[in-house]
């Protein structure tokens, strides 16, 4: 079955200040319930794979609770379908009823569903639902910035600097011209952010916006990203750093 006129899951802009409360589900019965709800609603979801550089828009078709697996729709581009089948890891992201749902899957099989080709995958080990609420974004040090390393599918690394941070996302900056070529909506997987006293966290990011900032002699690229499937460890470390930065700011303001 092919989807018609699908829309990729929308991303917020880089100036949105939001925090999510994480609801991580690991019970297979609960996971199955969420998947059945998604299949019943028929909402479009985006599957990111190939280190986040490729994506496929699909819908859940049927859930098999006893087998702990589910069918999802074949895409409209055959090359993308074959590429997904060859991957060992992919990430589902959707926003049914305004609540983001995301979960990782492993190997994907090709099967038939109601006479049409379809994908089949096992239940994810965990599934996360995010509810948004207002939150502030803190500025990070300019003279001694926190470094961030992004690796592209060809293993080419790019070093960037963090300029603002929240539990919802991160603002990055660089003078590397290659940054201007990163597509909006693309996924940056296994990104490492060095937080010094709080260790290094590995996160998956979705690129929300890129803008060019003129400087005295050249330009700088600012990349607004949001976190996808932020782990509990990363969330805890980021929260500690954000709290410390806010305390430092208030102490400086008092003089």
């Amino acid at each position: 079955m092919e989807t018609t006129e699908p829309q990729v899951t929308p991303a917020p802009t880089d100036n949105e200040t939001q925090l999510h409360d994480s609801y991580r589900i690991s019970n297979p019965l609960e996971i199955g319930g969420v998947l059945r709800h998604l299949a019943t609603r028929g909402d479009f979801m985006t599957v990111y794979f190939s280190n986040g550089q490729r994506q496929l828009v699909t819908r859940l078709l049927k859930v098999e609770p006893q087998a702990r697996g589910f069918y999802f729709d074949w895409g409209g581009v055959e090359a993308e379908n074959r590429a997904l089948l060859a991957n060992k890891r992919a990430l589902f992201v959707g926003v049914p009823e305004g609540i983001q749902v995301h979960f990782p899957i492993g190997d994907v099989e090709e099967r038939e569903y109601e006479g049409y080709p379809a994908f089949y995958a096992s239940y994810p080990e965990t599934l996360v639902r995010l509810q948004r609420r207002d939150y502030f974004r803190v500025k990070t040090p300019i003279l001694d910035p926190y470094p961030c390393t992004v690796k592209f599918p060809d293993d080419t690394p790019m070093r960037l600097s963090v300029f603002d941070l929240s539990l919802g996302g991160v603002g990055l900056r660089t003078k590397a011209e290659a940054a201007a070529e990163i597509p909006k909506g693309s996924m940056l997987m296994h990104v490492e952010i060095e937080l010094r006293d709080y260790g290094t966290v590995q996160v998956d990011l979705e690129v929300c916006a890129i803008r060019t900032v003129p400087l005295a002699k050249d330009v700088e690229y600012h990349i607004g990203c949001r976190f996808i499937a932020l782990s509990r460890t990363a969330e805890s470390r980021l929260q500690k750093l954000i709290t410390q930065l806010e305390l430092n700011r208030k102490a400086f303001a008092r003089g």
Side-chain angles (χ1 to χ4, degrees), residues 13-28:
T13 58
D14 63 338
N15 62 355
E16 283 184 302
T17 54
Q18 297 173 319
L19 169 68
H20 60 255
D21 291 326
S22 298
Y23 295 89
R24 191 179 305 271
I25 301 171
S26 56
N27 185 310

Side-chain angles (χ1 to χ4, degrees), residues 111-131:
R111 292 194 183 182
E112 187 176 283
Y113 179 77
E114 295 185 349
Y116 294 92
F119 296 108
Y120 185 87
S122 298
Y123 278 13
E125 292 186 4
T126 61
L127 181 149
V128 176
R129 290 179 295 188
L130 308 178
Q131 292 197 3

Side-chain angles (χ1 to χ4, degrees), residues 91-142:
L91 180 70
F92 268 81
V93 181
V95 193
E97 301 172 297
I99 299 176
Q100 188 189 118
V101 175
H102 59 247
F103 54 89
I105 58 172
D107 290 334
V108 178
E109 301 176 19
E110 178 182 355
R111 292 194 183 182
E112 187 176 283
Y113 179 77
E114 295 185 349
Y116 294 92
F119 296 108
Y120 185 87
S122 298
Y123 278 13
E125 292 186 4
T126 61
L127 181 149
V128 176
R129 290 179 295 188
L130 308 178
Q131 292 197 3
R132 297 174 178 173
R133 59 185 174 92
D134 290 338
Y135 192 67
F136 66 92
R137 185 179 291 264
V138 297
K139 298 294 184 181
T140 55
I142 296 176

Side-chain angles (χ1 to χ4, degrees), residues 33-148:
V34 175
L35 296 179
R36 286 195 299 274
H37 181 66
L38 292 171
T40 299
R41 285 182 53 85
D43 291 308
F44 286 113
M45 300 191 73
T46 306
V47 185
Y48 295 94
F49 57 101
S50 293
N51 202 33
Q53 301 305 303
R54 305 181 79 161
Q55 61 190 38
L56 182 147
V57 179
T58 186
R59 290 178 293 189
L60 271 64
L61 300 173
K62 180 183 178 182
V63 178
E64 295 186 330
Q66 291 185 336
R68 293 186 180 179
F70 64 97
Y71 291 85
F72 59 101
D73 212 354
W74 200 250
V77 180
E78 191 63 18
E80 297 300 308
N81 294 331
R82 296 300 164 190
L84 176 57
L85 289 170
N87 269 259
K88 299 294 182 182
R89 180 179 183 269
L91 180 70
F92 268 81
V93 181
V95 193
E97 301 172 297
I99 299 176
Q100 188 189 118
V101 175
H102 59 247
F103 54 89
I105 58 172
D107 290 334
V108 178
E109 301 176 19
E110 178 182 355
R111 292 194 183 182
E112 187 176 283
Y113 179 77
E114 295 185 349
Y116 294 92
F119 296 108
Y120 185 87
S122 298
Y123 278 13
E125 292 186 4
T126 61
L127 181 149
V128 176
R129 290 179 295 188
L130 308 178
Q131 292 197 3
R132 297 174 178 173
R133 59 185 174 92
D134 290 338
Y135 192 67
F136 66 92
R137 185 179 291 264
V138 297
K139 298 294 184 181
T140 55
I142 296 176
L143 297 180
D144 187 19
Y146 298 104
C148 172

